[in-house]
Amino acid sequence: MIKITTIFGEDAVRKYEENNELPSEEWLADNGGVVDEKEFETEAEYNAYIAGVNDADGWSDYHIIRHRSEEADTSREENLWLRLGVSVRGSREEIERILNGDTETLRKLLDAGRYGIGGETYVPGSTVEEYNEDHDTEFEEEDVEFHL
């Protein structure tokens, strides 16, 4: 289960970013904006929602907070390491901080869903090799490329 809180509206997002606390219902009523909570059964559902919100980017500001569940059932899930090409959206100041190596700014934009997937994305051959060894499979041990 993936839980998120989304903050819609420029002023509401700014209020959250100032003190890292959700705006109160009273503040939202006086200043505008919406705080919405959602739950997703799968990563695919979550990604589809994020893609939709990203498509609406520019109409008004928003901020998405993904909550990590301690009760998540990962017994059926596996991890696969890959390189993912993304474009990150932020203010000029935020982009310049990232160019200076500011990990916190990059994580903030990624956590807020302010990115689009595209570009060079692939599973390295070494990852495929490790997967084969761990799972007794025989996939071709070469890079698996995606053009997103």
Side-chain angles (χ1 to χ4, degrees), residues 46-60:
Y46 167 76
N47 289 337
Y49 177 81
I50 295 301
V53 171
N54 285 336
D55 287 346
D57 188 30
W59 291 98
S60 65

Side-chain angles (χ1 to χ4, degrees), residues 40-141:
F40 304 95
E41 294 292 327
T42 67
E43 191 76 21
E45 290 175 10
Y46 167 76
N47 289 337
Y49 177 81
I50 295 301
V53 171
N54 285 336
D55 287 346
D57 188 30
W59 291 98
S60 65
D61 204 359
Y62 63 91
H63 184 91
I64 298 171
I65 304 162
R66 180 171 175 172
H67 305 282
R68 305 288 182 202
S69 173
E70 295 177 19
E71 301 171 359
D73 177 14
T74 59
S75 62
R76 293 174 290 166
E77 294 180 353
E78 297 205 18
N79 289 319
L80 179 67
W81 189 89
L82 56 89
R83 292 193 183 273
L84 178 64
V86 298
S87 296
V88 178
R89 290 185 308 280
S91 67
R92 183 175 183 168
E93 180 181 297
E94 289 168 324
I95 297 302
E96 290 180 359
R97 277 190 253 153
I98 291 169
L99 291 173
N100 278 321
D102 186 337
T103 303
E104 187 175 319
T105 298
L106 176 59
R107 179 156 316 279
K108 176 183 149 194
L109 293 178
L110 293 174
D111 287 345
R114 306 221 35 196
Y115 63 89
I117 298 173
E120 186 176 357
T121 299
Y122 65 95
V123 179
S126 59
T127 298
V128 178
E129 183 179 348
E130 289 175 20
Y131 187 89
N132 283 340
E133 289 173 8
D134 291 345
H135 297 88
D136 197 28
T137 55
E138 296 181 13
F139 293 101
E140 291 290 324
E141 295 179 357

